[in-house]
Amino acid sequence: MIAGALRIAASARGGATVVDTLRQEGLARCSRPFAEPDGAARIVVAQLGPGYVRGDRFSLDGELGRDASLVLATQSASRLLGRGAESHAEARWHLAEGAHLSCAPEPTVAYADAAHHARTTVRLEPGASLAWLDTLAAHGAFERVTSSLRVFFGDALAVHDAYDMRPRHLAGAVGTALFLRSGMTPERSARLVAAADAAATLARADPEVAVGVGSPAAGGVFVRATGHHVRAVRSVLATLLVALRRIDVAAESPSG
């Protein structure tokens, strides 16, 4: 068993996001921050070794200050490997007022006999937003993959999405995209859902990808997609999230 941990903290200064803390332990790694055109910071995370193997445990703790914006990416696909004890990945995020987190990792690929559990908790203060993407594909008869995403608006649970995947459930690839803003008005939520549904209509023309769009009770957009190839599924969801973020930012501007 191996382990790794990351700690990331960022704040907004002068119209740009500055990463104040980057701490890596064990086999967890991350890049230096890169500046995005819109003032956000971009960090690429990785781990040493071939992937998650037999009981490995990795964790990430992140905190974004008021109006900070962070794009989190992964260096490559996350491979789930080995037989035996379940591996674990846990992430915890706290976003202050007006902060934004975009989390769009490369796909997770489950290999023969692998067992893995991923758990993510995100707490959004008023005006904070989250763009979330997760895709999973099988490469052999894995044992089990479970995942849980919980998003809180302050102390109130807004979204809890979970799955328990076995080989018989996964013929190809599955993906989830989520866009939320704490305190979003019903009108803006409806506008985003309509935009997502319009984009999904184009994706439905591709027989390789099936897309469903909905909205949580707390507002925002929830999308599930399936397909034969994980890259096609991820591409559809990533494109959709970029469009939703653009619409949401325009609505936040004084002229919006």
Side-chain angles (χ1 to χ4, degrees):
M1 181 188 80
I2 61 174
L6 289 175
R7 165 70 179 165
I8 300 171
S11 59
R13 297 182 214 162
T17 295
V18 177
V19 176
D20 303 300
T21 301
L22 278 180
R23 186 173 69 234
Q24 47 194 10
E25 301 175 9
L27 297 188
R29 294 290 184 270
C30 64
S31 71
R32 68 180 66 188
F34 299 94
E36 294 283 284
D38 63 356
R42 180 183 185 87
I43 292 177
V44 180
V45 300
Q47 63 189 79
L48 298 179
Y52 293 94
V53 183
R54 294 188 302 274
D56 290 352
R57 289 182 175 270
F58 284 80
S59 65
L60 188 159
D61 284 281
E63 184 172 357
L64 302 184
R66 185 184 182 101
D67 296 327
S69 182
L70 181 68
V71 177
L72 194 73
T74 54
Q75 187 176 41
S76 61
S78 297
R79 300 197 299 169
L80 313 180
L81 304 163
R83 173 186 302 178
E86 184 179 65
S87 56
H88 291 261
E90 182 168 8
R92 296 171 292 268
W93 288 93
H94 180 251
L95 278 61
E97 293 183 18
H100 174 72
L101 173 65
S102 176
C103 187
E106 295 300 310
T108 299
V109 182
Y111 284 73
D113 300 321
H116 182 73
H117 177 66
R119 181 170 62 184
T120 301
T121 304
V122 183
R123 192 174 303 275
L124 304 178
E125 301 303 336
S129 59
L130 170 69
W132 171 268
L133 173 62
D134 177 52
T135 50
L136 172 68
H139 191 285
F142 63 94
E143 182 179 323
R144 183 182 189 184
V145 178
T146 58
S147 176
S148 171
L149 169 65
R150 296 195 303 164
V151 183
F152 291 83
F153 290 174
D155 293 325
L157 181 63
V159 172
H160 183 194
D161 179 51
Y163 63 72
D164 185 342
M165 203 71 67
R166 310 295 176 96
R168 66 180 182 274
H169 302 140
L170 189 61
V174 62
T176 302
L178 184 69
F179 189 91
L180 294 173
R181 179 181 288 277
S182 178
M184 180 184 293
T185 65
E187 293 76 18
R188 187 191 298 188
S189 180
R191 181 182 175 189
L192 290 174
V193 171
D197 201 44
T201 298
L202 297 177
R204 292 184 188 108
D206 181 354
E208 294 293 318
V209 181
V211 183
V213 177
S215 182
V221 181
F222 182 91
V223 185
R224 193 87 80 191
T226 59
H228 297 297
H229 303 291
V230 70
R231 287 295 173 188
V233 171
R234 187 185 182 282
S235 177
V236 167
L237 294 177
T239 300
L240 191 150
L241 276 181
V242 169
L244 293 177
R245 170 65 172 159
R246 187 179 298 119
I247 294 169
D248 184 66
V249 169
E252 283 292 293
S253 67
S255 59

